[in-house]
Amino acid sequence: MKNRLYLDIHAIQVLPPSNVNRDEFGNPKSALYGGVNRSRVSSQSWKRAIREYFYENSEIQNLGVRTLKLPDYIADKMLEIDSSIPREEAIKKAGKVLKSAGISTKLKDVDDEGEKALVLESLFFISDKQALELAQAAVKGDVAKPDIIDSIKNNMSIDIALFGRMVASSKNLNVEASCQVAHAISTHEVNSEVDYFTAVDEYTKDQGAAMIGNSNFNASTLYRYSNIAIHDLFEKIHDKETLINSIKLFIKAFCLSMPSGKISSYANQTLPSFLSIDIRSDRPMNLVSAFEEPVVSNSGYTNKSIVKLCDEHKKFNKFYDKPLLSSFISFDDIDCLNEFGDEADNLNNLAENVANFLKDNLGD
């Protein structure tokens, strides 16, 4: 394998009137870029959607859970090992195991009756196998600090390896992310609109509105980008087949996932109209600069956005090393698309193109 391999994934995706990712005022998130206001969907929002896709569509059992109630999570696994342990005792033992690793816990009120629960100071990201190892240690009463820390570092799930873990109270448990996800932004100027709505009382059938409200929304054509440091992910996973399957899963999740904000109201169930993947040996390359000058159109933004992305890809390949692999899928046949390498028939074939490259270029 080359010393470094990076996977870049670019997408152009249309969102109809929707509000998939709200700010603190309930408005669609936005960003000022290239002197105009853009629609924005945060990286955190789409990473959560990608992880949900993992849960629902992957056969991988060892996935991560982010929770404040880690003592309860470990206690549940302890009771699966030995159901005779009283639950309160299991939670206390779980707390001791976590304390040994430098993870702070506290008692917190959970209802108006004064009942308290042992919770963490902040959310913790842990894999299923890591939690199981902590549960086994707690059952045995083995709380030696080095062993506990090793249990939390080993058996890393694919989502922790990809998206990382930050633990302020115990920095030696931090995991640097192998994947970076950009905030998706519109390729053109966007301004939010307001949907004024009313509702009637269906029981009394009184005339007039029983409720009046406003809902903010916008519509946009988004540029989405993410990358994976393949060499770094390989160091975390250590297994070539698992690595390749994980990257295939990520490609599908990136394409098929959707943040769920107000999705019942807007049914914004779209997919990318264009998806391109490069594998590079120099560094990852975000092509958002293609849209610093916003697309202007009275007849749709998608194809014009793809052409601008194509032009930017061509410019980058003149200045820097060309990709080792380029492949794409597109709804429309546009003249410039050969710039993105070989066209795949569908998403599965695109993921297989990447898998075949990695089989040939990754060491064991």
Side-chain angles (χ1 to χ4, degrees):
M1 176 177 91
K2 290 184 176 292
N3 291 332
R4 295 188 177 187
L5 284 178
Y6 298 96
L7 182 145
D8 285 332
I9 182 166
H10 312 273
I12 298 295
Q13 182 165 353
V14 174
L15 282 184
S18 56
N19 190 353
V20 299
N21 189 208
R22 285 166 277 179
D23 64 18
E24 65 270 32
F25 303 109
N27 300 317
K29 287 187 176 179
S30 61
L32 187 67
Y33 183 64
V36 301
N37 193 63
R38 313 291 182 112
S39 177
R40 175 173 65 92
V41 181
S42 72
S43 59
Q44 297 92 328
S45 175
W46 225 303
K47 280 188 284 189
R48 173 60 182 161
I50 288 170
R51 289 182 57 227
E52 287 180 333
Y53 182 91
F54 288 176
Y55 296 142
E56 295 170 5
N57 298 278
S58 170
E59 295 180 359
I60 298 173
Q61 298 298 314
N62 186 33
L63 291 172
V65 172
R66 185 178 283 115
T67 182
L68 288 173
K69 295 184 177 180
L70 188 53
D72 281 277
Y73 183 41
I74 295 171
D76 287 340
K77 293 193 174 295
M78 291 172 64
L79 295 175
E80 290 175 8
I81 297 168
D82 184 355
S83 60
S84 67
I85 304 173
R87 184 169 182 80
E88 286 189 8
E89 182 182 340
I91 291 174
K92 288 180 181 178
K93 287 183 175 181
K96 289 181 180 179
V97 166
L98 294 172
K99 184 178 180 181
S100 177
I103 301 172
S104 303
T105 60
K106 64 180 180 180
L107 283 172
K108 181 180 178 181
D109 291 333
V110 292
D111 60 27
D112 295 336
E113 303 297 323
E115 184 178 344
K116 295 182 180 294
L118 192 66
V119 300
L120 305 189
E121 298 284 349
S122 58
L123 287 167
F124 192 88
F125 202 7
I126 191 167
S127 77
D128 184 78
K129 288 184 178 179
Q130 289 170 345
L132 179 59
E133 286 207 357
L134 293 184
Q136 291 169 340
V139 169
K140 295 175 183 177
D142 182 6
V143 294
K145 183 175 181 178
D147 294 337
I148 297 301
I149 290 176
D150 285 344
S151 294
I152 300 176
K153 285 185 172 181
N154 298 330
N155 293 309
M156 194 179 301
S157 63
I158 179 60
D159 45 357
I160 293 176
L162 282 168
F163 301 128
R165 176 174 65 200
M166 198 280 284
V167 186
S169 62
S170 187
K171 293 183 179 180
N172 58 350
L173 299 179
N174 287 348
V175 177
E176 289 292 327
S178 297
C179 173
Q180 298 173 343
V181 181
H183 289 234
I185 65 167
S186 63
T187 63
H188 53 93
E189 184 175 9
V190 169
N191 292 305
S192 291
E193 300 180 65
V194 178
D195 176 28
Y196 170 83
F197 64 87
T198 65
V200 299
D201 189 316
E202 296 174 347
Y203 173 67
T204 64
K205 301 189 186 305
D206 290 339
Q207 289 186 343
M211 184 182 74
I212 297 173
N214 295 314
S215 177
N216 297 303
F217 68 93
N218 63 23
S220 59
T221 297
L222 298 174
Y223 169 66
R224 298 176 53 207
Y225 168 77
S226 182
N227 66 63
I228 297 175
I230 298 171
H231 56 279
D232 184 70
L233 186 61
F234 200 12
E235 288 181 6
K236 293 185 176 83
I237 294 178
H238 306 297
D239 181 78
K240 181 175 178 178
E241 183 178 358
T242 302
L243 172 78
I244 292 172
N245 289 336
S246 298
I247 289 177
K248 287 171 61 179
L249 175 65
F250 178 84
I251 291 168
K252 292 182 180 180
F254 181 90
C255 184
L256 300 176
S257 62
M258 173 63 71
S260 59
K262 302 203 76 144
I263 200 164
S264 294
S265 299
Y266 293 101
N268 46 274
Q269 299 281 11
T270 64
L271 295 171
S273 304
F274 173 83
L275 193 71
S276 161
I277 291 177
D278 290 335
I279 294 181
R280 298 180 177 274
S281 60
D282 45 2
R283 56 157 292 171
M285 296 185 187
N286 186 329
L287 301 180
V288 70
S289 51
F291 309 109
E292 183 186 24
E293 180 181 339
V295 177
V296 178
S297 176
N298 293 318
S299 58
Y301 297 105
T302 302
N303 284 7
K304 291 180 174 62
S305 297
I306 294 171
V307 170
K308 291 198 74 169
L309 189 64
C310 181
D311 290 343
E312 200 74 0
H313 190 264
K314 186 175 182 179
K315 291 175 187 175
F316 270 63
N317 288 341
K318 283 183 177 179
F319 276 84
Y320 307 103
D321 292 347
K322 288 187 176 181
L324 305 175
L325 171 77
S326 289
S327 190
F328 73 93
I329 54 175
S330 177
F331 282 5
D332 296 308
D333 186 12
I334 303 172
D335 290 341
C336 70
L337 288 180
N338 61 350
E339 174 60 34
F340 289 103
D342 298 324
E343 183 172 10
D345 292 333
N346 52 48
L347 179 60
N348 287 330
N349 287 349
L350 180 64
E352 282 300 324
N353 287 348
V354 174
N356 291 334
F357 175 89
L358 295 178
K359 287 174 186 175
D360 294 338
N361 290 274
L362 283 176
D364 295 318

